[in-house]
Amino acid sequence: MKIFTSILVVLAIALIGFNITLLDFKHPFEGDSVVALIGIIASFCAVLILLIFRMSKIISEKTKGN
């Protein structure tokens, strides 16, 4: 499970990088820039959710050991 979440985090970070390249910094709320902003926000949320999931698994394993 650790490898799977790591792969997903890397993919989400790659999507953030790709969407930053699509972003028009002069007009961030027009045209394709809106889609890029939504993609950046969604990918950032995915990274946070996956990191929270990983931390919960670590805590679960530690409490089962006791």
Side-chain angles (χ1 to χ4, degrees), residues 29-57:
F29 298 110
E30 295 178 2
D32 288 337
S33 292
V34 174
V35 176
L37 279 174
I38 293 170
I40 291 169
I41 293 168
S43 298
F44 184 70
C45 290
V47 169
L48 287 177
I49 289 170
L50 287 167
L51 292 177
I52 290 170
F53 176 71
R54 183 182 288 177
M55 292 303 292
S56 70
K57 282 294 194 183

Side-chain angles (χ1 to χ4, degrees), residues 3 5 8 13 16-17 19 22 28-30 35-37 39 43 45-47 53 60-62 64-65:
I3 296 171
T5 56
L8 289 179
I13 292 171
I16 290 172
N19 282 322
L22 296 177
F29 298 110
E30 295 178 2
V35 176
L37 279 174
S43 298
C45 290
V47 169
F53 176 71
S60 171
E61 289 173 1
K62 285 185 179 183
K64 286 183 181 178

